[in-house]
Amino acid sequence: MLTALTFIGFTLFVAFLSWYKLRKDDISSRDGYFLGGRSLTGGVIAGSMILTNISTEHLIGLNGSAYKNGMIIIAWEVTSAIALVIAALYFLPIYLKMGLTTIPQYLENRFDSSTKTIVAFLLMVSFVVTLLPIVLYTGAINLESIFNVSEVLNVSLSEGIWITVITIGVIGSIYAIFGGLKAVALSDSINAIGLIIGGLMVPVFALWDIGEGNIFTGMSKVYAYAPEKFNVIGKADSVLPFSTIFTGLMINQLYFWGMNQTIIQRAFGAKNMAEAQKGLLLTGLFKILIPLIIVLPGIIAYYYYSDQYYDNQDFIYPVLLTRVMPLGLLGFFAAVVLGAILSTFNSVLNSAATIFSLDIYKKIFRPDCSDKTLVRVGRLSSLVLAVLAILIAPLVGNAPEGLYQLMQQLNGIFFIPIASILIAGFFIPKVTARAAKIGLFTGLSFYLITSFFLDIGIHFIHIWAIEFILNLALMLLVSHYFPGKPNTFVSRPPVLKMKPWKYARPVAAILCLVTVLIYIWLGS
């Protein structure tokens, strides 16, 4: 009962505060609904970015992977800081100067409208096939473990997960459909505070228990039990070899933090350039610290359970959670977990609605439609995507290398081809629209064949790098032998103040230095 009360209390608190803060905001306009009225500050942007990124696929997936593979998987997190530095200093000025609402709009400006439409469709498919279902499924696993939904309702475990998936999907849809980006971003910021507090409680309580009242003693015991788990240098045959940092991993990170609509849309909603840069760099700081929440508990779980859960690694975090969290705080943490699930779920829905409304519906079906119609179409598309994600979610279980690894493998289908044409657009002026479209389909086909149909014995992250280089080479060849018209950007006055944050470069340098020092310290 206490668990349920604290869960309901914190969940209602976030919902009420979000409603109260935004009750007078106008979300009937395009910018109001899709970009929060271009009024977001650095703290709100960072909170929303980190909550959009960190959800149960991290709490469950990365902790499960850390339990099995050790600290090597922090590469997914800490290298994000370098990507965020590049996004803040280089990509943001380009985007904000153009007054973009979506990434596909950049592709239309740089290449042509058909390139924009193809990428918009690919992004919609990626949302439904990869991120949304895995977020829902991992969320359902976590909440099932806390509340024993299947036992309470007297149904099977699979039925309990279905019911939880549907419930999460419905609640998340309400936020995204009726609140727009600002409601999503504000609730994210509140939940981000809860995630940091609640997430840190798990390793703190566990280490307090192991150390019999002394956290540092507990940490020493965990390290002494399995020192190999703390090594950050992954071997060549490991789940995440160290060499991947210098190949496909950084390409993926650059895409995710600098070109991914779901993430970068928060920066598009900034009140000015300085706040946008502040938001991205603060997110970089969070990504360096977040392994304390989404990696360390997995290693602590190994101390408790050894290899008992190796065949079910994605269940280890909920097991640890119910073991170490006091009953009165379990409900609060469940509410935080729900907030993290809803954050990612409704953020993706909002981004998908933005892309569909502006890049597909307005471009193809109703070029002259009003802002009111666009908002209505955005809400309807969110609803359709939510239903599809709910139907797919229970089908993603039992991934052999864990759900987080599965998500990254599936993301590669879409992320790397799109990243290759975006980077070509930024840095290689001679690449044409025809070359970009050929690169898209060739890259997508290459990855599907080499990752899912042929066993070529190369880590999928290295395949990302091979695909990326082949794509660039192919686009250069096509552009050379079939040159198109020169690309001209549509010039328009910036919609925001473009003065950069005065501390952007010093903070960026510190983030890069800390990332390198982490590998020197933990890799020695």
Side-chain angles (χ1 to χ4, degrees):
M1 177 60 77
L2 186 59
T3 299
L5 286 175
T6 52
F7 170 76
I8 293 168
F10 188 74
T11 302
L12 290 178
F13 167 73
V14 174
F16 174 77
L17 188 58
S18 299
W19 168 80
Y20 182 79
K21 288 278 190 182
L22 303 175
R23 68 193 188 283
K24 296 180 181 178
D25 281 29
D26 177 21
I27 58 170
S28 60
S29 68
R30 182 169 75 173
D31 277 2
Y33 185 77
F34 296 117
L35 291 179
R38 297 191 190 269
S39 63
L40 303 185
T41 58
V44 172
I45 291 167
S48 187
M49 277 187 165
I50 206 70
L51 254 287
T52 298
N53 173 230
I54 303 299
S55 188
T56 43
E57 82 278 5
H58 287 77
L59 289 170
I60 287 180
L62 269 185
N63 272 308
S65 186
Y67 160 74
K68 189 172 183 178
N69 304 296
M71 195 73 79
I72 61 172
I73 49 88
I74 68 163
W76 286 115
E77 297 306 303
V78 297
T79 58
S80 299
I82 295 175
L84 281 156
V85 164
I86 295 170
L89 299 184
Y90 183 79
F91 296 150
L92 265 185
I94 295 174
Y95 296 150
L96 296 183
K97 190 173 183 181
M98 294 174 69
L100 298 183
T101 306
T102 70
I103 290 294
Q105 286 176 350
Y106 169 82
L107 294 172
E108 180 178 38
N109 213 333
R110 172 62 177 83
F111 296 116
D112 59 18
S113 59
S114 59
T115 306
K116 165 188 169 180
T117 304
I118 292 166
V119 168
F121 273 114
L122 287 176
L123 288 173
M124 299 289 286
V125 172
S126 75
F127 293 152
V128 176
V129 171
T130 58
L131 188 54
L132 289 175
I134 290 177
V135 167
L136 286 177
Y137 182 75
T138 52
I141 290 175
N142 220 337
L143 294 179
E144 163 69 30
S145 72
I146 294 171
F147 293 112
N148 295 316
V149 175
S150 54
E151 287 184 22
V152 171
L153 300 178
N154 195 26
V155 296
S156 68
L157 178 62
S158 61
E159 288 172 331
I161 288 176
W162 263 107
I163 292 166
T164 312
V165 161
I166 293 169
T167 304
I168 295 168
V170 169
I171 297 172
S173 302
I174 290 170
Y175 266 98
I177 292 169
F178 295 106
L181 179 66
K182 197 165 185 181
V184 171
L186 184 61
S187 62
D188 287 354
S189 301
I190 302 166
N191 279 314
I193 298 169
L195 177 68
I196 291 168
I197 295 170
L200 286 173
M201 283 179 181
V202 178
V204 167
F205 282 133
L207 294 173
W208 182 273
D209 173 53
I210 294 167
E212 299 176 344
N214 188 310
I215 294 171
F216 298 104
T217 301
M219 193 70 210
S220 297
K221 285 185 177 180
V222 172
Y223 181 81
Y225 184 76
E228 73 281 358
K229 294 286 184 184
F230 287 84
N231 183 23
V232 295
I233 308 298
K235 296 178 181 177
D237 60 349
S238 67
V239 70
L240 191 63
F242 181 65
S243 57
T244 59
I245 295 175
F246 306 99
T247 59
L249 184 59
M250 278 312 301
I251 298 167
N252 176 74
Q253 300 288 46
L254 279 174
Y255 173 84
F256 188 86
W257 293 105
M259 309 171 203
N260 178 7
Q261 179 69 28
T262 305
I263 294 294
I264 208 70
Q265 188 171 334
R266 279 102 194 93
F268 290 169
K271 65 193 299 185
N272 55 48
M273 165 78 92
E275 293 298 324
Q277 288 184 322
K278 204 181 298 181
L280 263 66
L281 294 173
L282 185 55
T283 305
L285 174 62
F286 283 139
K287 291 298 285 183
I288 288 173
L289 298 175
I290 212 74
L292 294 172
I293 295 172
I294 62 176
V295 175
L296 181 58
I299 297 173
I300 294 171
Y302 185 78
Y303 175 88
Y304 279 120
Y305 300 104
S306 189
D307 58 0
Q308 183 180 338
Y309 285 88
Y310 262 29
D311 293 331
N312 294 289
Q313 67 187 60
D314 289 318
F315 286 88
I316 193 64
Y317 187 70
V319 168
L320 178 70
L321 188 66
T322 53
R323 175 170 183 153
V324 304
M325 285 289 274
L327 193 62
L329 292 173
L330 202 53
F332 162 71
F333 189 74
V336 169
V337 168
L338 179 63
I341 301 162
L342 295 180
S343 169
T344 302
F345 186 75
N346 56 32
S347 296
V348 174
L349 282 185
N350 183 265
S351 296
T354 306
I355 289 171
F356 181 80
S357 303
L358 301 181
D359 297 327
I360 296 175
Y361 183 80
K362 183 175 176 62
K363 188 68 184 178
I364 298 174
F365 301 108
R366 290 278 304 278
D368 59 343
C369 67
S370 65
D371 279 11
K372 191 174 180 180
T373 301
L374 280 176
V375 171
R376 189 167 62 247
V377 168
R379 287 174 168 156
L380 182 60
S381 61
S382 291
L383 179 61
V384 172
L385 285 174
V387 171
L388 290 173
I390 289 168
L391 293 174
I392 295 171
L395 307 178
V396 302
N398 302 317
E401 292 293 344
L403 287 167
Y404 190 80
Q405 198 82 347
L406 172 66
M407 184 180 74
Q408 295 298 349
Q409 284 180 283
L410 292 174
N411 280 340
I413 299 171
F414 307 98
F415 285 7
I416 303 303
I418 296 172
S420 67
I421 67 167
L422 281 165
I423 288 175
F426 291 139
F427 297 107
I428 313 175
K430 68 181 289 185
V431 170
T432 64
R434 176 187 293 177
K437 286 191 276 287
I438 291 173
L440 263 179
F441 288 111
T442 304
L444 192 148
S445 303
F446 173 84
Y447 183 74
L448 284 173
I449 292 168
T450 54
S451 295
F452 298 99
F453 295 103
L454 298 178
D455 184 9
I456 61 174
I458 299 176
H459 196 284
F460 74 89
I461 296 181
H462 289 317
I463 293 176
W464 288 352
I466 295 168
E467 175 192 351
F468 179 77
I469 293 167
L470 288 176
N471 258 18
L472 289 182
L474 179 63
M475 286 188 283
L476 282 169
L477 282 172
V478 172
S479 301
H480 178 74
Y481 287 106
F482 302 96
K485 296 187 212 174
N487 296 300
T488 55
F489 287 95
V490 177
S491 180
R492 59 169 67 92
V495 296
L496 305 171
K497 290 183 180 178
M498 293 297 294
K499 186 178 179 181
W501 185 36
K502 63 180 178 179
Y503 300 115
R505 291 188 180 278
V507 171
I510 292 169
L511 287 176
C512 292
L513 179 61
V514 170
T515 303
V516 173
L517 289 176
I518 286 172
Y519 274 91
I520 293 173
W521 176 43
L522 293 174
S524 57

